[in-house]
């Protein structure tokens, strides 16, 4: 991928010590829920595992011949496992805030879980695989219909075609207000960069909504 450098090797939450939350005997930290969504094989499990400070919870199972028939592997032929429920990770921002990451399953037959997973979510990162760009459309549509703020993070796989952010925006049909960023789901710094872009976007949305409320105009 395009973002590997000398000081940032592929990382896993297992390799970093967790930062204790809520130390000091004060109130328990506020938990913020973020979803990591996208199509089948887009890198959601890898993303959550790379940025999580704890051993991530994963519900991956081996792909069966029956499953492979229902989930075409064009472009992701090397994939041997799939998430059947969710991925879960955690990032401690400071003593008062903890980020919970929930990776959604990618296959259509597991989409019924998305409604439950999105309850209480602050926002979402939609991972897009340029080898199967159309696979991110359902996730984009899902969050747009529910008014949940999201960004699109283009996970540039080795050997995949490199598209500029504006090319991806046009192909997916995104409005100018939705950020499109490049991402390497294997790298902690790249994943946290995408999460930072999401937080900035959510803060901007909140500021616009507050301004509209004060002026009496619709957001």
């Amino acid at each position: 991928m395009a973002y590997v450098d000398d000081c940032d090797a592929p990382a896993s939450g297992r390799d970093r010590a967790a930062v204790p939350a809520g130390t000091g005997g004060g109130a328990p930290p506020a938990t913020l829920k973020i979803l990591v969504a996208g199509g089948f094989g887009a890198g959601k499990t890898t993303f959550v595992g790379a940025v999580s400070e704890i051993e991530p919870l994963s519900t991956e199972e081996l792909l069966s011949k029956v499953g492979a028939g229902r989930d075409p592997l064009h472009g992701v032929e090397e994939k041997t496992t799939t998430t059947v429920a969710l991925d879960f990770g955690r990032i401690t921002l400071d003593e008062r805030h903890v980020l919970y990451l929930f990776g959604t399953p990618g296959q259509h037959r597991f989409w019924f879980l998305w409604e439950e997973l999105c309850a209480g979510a602050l926002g979402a990162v939609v991972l897009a695989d340029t080898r199967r760009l159309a696979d991110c459309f359902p996730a984009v549509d899902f969050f747009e219909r529910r008014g949940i703020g999201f960004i699109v993070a283009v996970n540039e796989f080795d050997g995949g075609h490199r598209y500029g952010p504006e090319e991806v925006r046009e192909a997916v049909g995104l409005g100018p207000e939705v950020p499109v960023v490049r991402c390497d789901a294997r790298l902690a710094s790249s994943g946290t960069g995408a999460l930072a872009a999401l937080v900035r976007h959510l803060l901007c949305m909140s500021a616009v909504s507050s301004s509209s409320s004060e002026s009496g105009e619709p957001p």
Side-chain angles (χ1 to χ4, degrees):
M1 292 199 185
Y3 301 100
V4 178
D5 59 37
D6 292 339
C7 62
D8 197 353
S12 167
R14 296 183 294 273
D15 300 328
R16 298 188 301 277
V19 178
T23 57
T31 57
L32 309 174
K33 183 178 182 181
I34 297 295
L35 299 186
V36 180
F40 177 61
K44 301 179 293 295
T45 298
T46 301
F47 183 100
V48 173
V51 301
S52 178
E53 68 190 18
I54 62 172
E55 179 80 25
L57 169 66
S58 179
T59 57
E60 285 204 310
E61 297 291 343
L62 289 173
L63 283 171
S64 65
K65 291 183 179 180
V66 174
R70 299 178 64 180
D71 302 310
L73 297 178
H74 175 68
V76 290
E77 290 83 3
E78 74 284 357
K79 187 170 177 61
T80 59
T81 62
T82 184
T83 298
V84 297
L86 59 88
D87 299 306
F88 174 77
R90 186 187 75 194
I91 303 174
T92 299
L93 301 180
D94 54 40
E95 290 188 356
R96 296 182 300 167
H97 301 92
V98 176
L99 197 66
Y100 286 166
L101 301 176
F102 289 81
T104 65
Q107 302 96 313
H108 185 275
R109 63 183 180 275
F110 295 128
W111 283 357
F112 68 92
L113 294 170
W114 285 36
E115 287 289 354
E116 186 171 348
L117 288 174
C118 80
L122 188 66
V125 173
V126 176
L127 285 178
D129 178 355
T130 58
R131 301 169 302 176
R132 297 160 57 110
L133 192 56
D135 286 4
C136 75
F137 292 175
V140 168
D141 182 65
F142 180 89
F143 296 120
E144 285 183 338
R145 288 178 179 272
R146 288 156 183 79
I148 297 175
F150 68 96
I151 69 166
V152 171
V154 182
N155 190 15
E156 295 184 327
F157 286 86
D158 295 329
H161 187 78
R162 298 292 189 259
Y163 293 98
E166 292 308 312
E167 292 179 288
V168 173
R169 182 187 306 282
E170 182 177 357
V172 181
L174 297 172
E177 73 284 355
V178 179
V180 178
V181 301
R182 289 189 172 98
C183 175
D184 185 332
R186 301 171 299 182
L187 304 181
S189 63
S190 188
T192 53
L195 291 171
L198 172 62
V199 171
R200 289 193 295 269
H201 177 53
L202 295 175
L203 289 173
C204 182
M205 290 178 59
S206 178
V208 170
S209 179
S210 297
S211 177
S212 298
S213 297
E214 292 173 0
S215 63
E217 299 177 357

